[in-house]
Amino acid sequence: MMEDKVLNILLEVQSGLQKLETQVKDLCLEMEDMRSEMKDMRSEMKDMRSEMKDMRSDIEVLKEDMVNVKSDIVLLKSEVYDIRVELRELSEREERHYYMLQNSISDAFESIKILDRKKLDKEALKKII
């Protein structure tokens, strides 16, 4: 009887040990999975860091481009202002030339009228004589 009890205890202990062994194996497999996941996460983090560095570099390039564009805009505004000033001056000159031509044409028509009158007066004198 004692032997049966001892045998039963040994069987229970063996069964318990097998369960523990199975649990330890399952835990080892879980740990391996977790290690693999950790490696993947580390790799992803490295990739993300690299992407962030690239993005920072891109941002710096964009900042430089913005500064250059702002500088170009200032230059263009200055050129536009200069062109407007030139156009205003040209417009004023053209207006003066227009009035001068108009006056010259008026003077020419007056001269033609005077010459026509003189011509008529000469012809009238000839008829009278």
Side-chain angles (χ1 to χ4, degrees):
M1 280 246 182
M2 183 79 139
E3 290 178 7
D4 287 339
K5 284 184 181 181
V6 170
L7 191 60
N8 281 337
I9 291 174
L10 283 175
L11 286 174
E12 284 180 27
V13 168
Q14 185 180 11
S15 173
L17 283 174
Q18 285 177 344
K19 286 180 184 176
L20 281 174
E21 186 180 354
T22 303
Q23 287 178 346
V24 167
K25 285 180 182 178
D26 290 344
L27 285 173
C28 285
L29 288 173
E30 280 185 45
M31 282 182 58
E32 283 300 315
D33 288 346
M34 288 176 74
R35 282 187 187 134
S36 176
E37 287 177 15
M38 291 280 288
K39 284 181 182 177
D40 291 345
M41 287 174 69
R42 284 186 189 120
S43 176
E44 287 177 12
M45 295 227 358
K46 285 180 182 177
D47 291 345
M48 288 174 72
R49 283 187 190 117
S50 176
E51 287 176 13
M52 285 181 66
K53 284 180 183 177
D54 291 345
M55 289 172 73
R56 284 186 187 122
S57 175
D58 290 346
I59 287 172
E60 288 303 314
V61 168
L62 288 172
K63 282 181 181 178
E64 290 174 14
D65 288 349
M66 277 182 49
V67 167
N68 291 337
V69 166
K70 285 180 179 179
S71 173
D72 289 346
I73 287 172
V74 167
L75 288 173
L76 286 172
K77 282 182 178 179
S78 175
E79 288 179 23
V80 166
Y81 177 79
D82 292 346
I83 289 171
R84 283 183 177 164
V85 167
E86 280 184 48
L87 284 173
R88 191 175 309 118
E89 289 172 355
L90 282 173
S91 176
E92 290 170 358
R93 269 189 247 141
E94 279 189 24
E95 192 173 341
R96 283 194 300 270
H97 286 272
Y98 172 77
Y99 287 120
M100 286 173 54
L101 283 172
Q102 200 173 24
N103 287 336
S104 294
I105 290 171
S106 293
D107 290 347
F109 277 123
E110 281 299 316
S111 295
I112 289 171
K113 284 180 187 176
I114 291 171
L115 287 174
D116 281 344
R117 279 190 219 133
K118 285 183 180 179
K119 190 175 178 184
L120 286 174
D121 287 343
K122 282 182 183 179
E123 287 177 8
L125 278 176
K126 282 182 185 177
K127 286 182 184 178
I128 295 174
I129 299 178

